[in-house]
Amino acid sequence: AVQVVWDPAKISFTDLLRLFWACHDPTQGDMQGRDIGSQYRSAVFCNDAVQAAAAHASRAAFASVLRVGGYSDITTEIRVGCPFYYADLHHQQYLAKPRSRQYCSAEPTGLALP
C-alpha cells in the first residue's frame, strides 16, 4: 500500500481518486502487469465514510468508462479504517529511486475518469 498525505486546500480527494484510477489497471485482481499476488491488488483505504462514498462513486463512474473501452469489471477493494504499516526501508519512496520505472509493471488503461 501507498500512504498518501495531501493538503485538501491544494488538491481534493476527488482529484486524488482521478489520478489513482488513471495510474493503473484496476481490473487485474491480485496483480499489476507481471507482478502477481495479493500485495499487488488495487485498493483504496479510506479514513472515513465520506472518503469511502467518494471512492465508491468514482469507481462506479470509471467502471462505465472501462466497459465502453472493452475492459472487464473493476476489482478494486474500498475499505475504511484499516491500519497502515510501513514497508522496510528498501521500499520507502520506491518509485522515486533511480531505475524504478523500468521495473514497475503497473499498466494504465489510458482511459480517464470524466
Side-chain angles (χ1 to χ4, degrees):
V2 174
Q3 183 179 43
V4 179
V5 178
W6 77 98
D7 180 349
K10 295 182 180 179
I11 186 168
S12 70
F13 186 65
T14 301
D15 287 335
L16 290 176
L17 289 167
R18 190 173 283 113
L19 292 170
F20 170 78
W21 298 117
C23 77
H24 75 299
D25 180 350
T27 68
Q28 293 188 356
D30 283 352
M31 62 185 291
Q32 281 297 309
R34 296 176 308 278
D35 295 322
I36 299 171
S38 63
Q39 69 271 32
Y40 297 105
R41 74 187 184 280
S42 175
V44 179
F45 299 104
C46 303
N47 292 326
D48 56 40
V50 173
Q51 287 182 350
H56 282 286
S58 69
R59 179 175 64 185
F62 196 50
S64 297
V65 171
L66 289 175
R67 271 192 291 285
V68 171
Y71 284 85
S72 58
D73 292 339
I74 289 177
T75 59
T76 301
E77 175 183 1
I78 298 173
R79 295 184 58 193
V80 179
C82 296
F84 181 80
Y85 301 99
Y86 288 92
D88 58 79
L89 289 178
H90 171 73
H91 287 93
Q92 295 297 319
Q93 298 296 320
Y94 186 78
L95 294 178
K97 294 180 180 180
R99 296 177 301 284
S100 65
R101 282 286 170 203
Q102 289 83 7
Y103 167 77
C104 183
S105 64
E107 298 172 353
T109 63
L111 301 174
L113 180 64

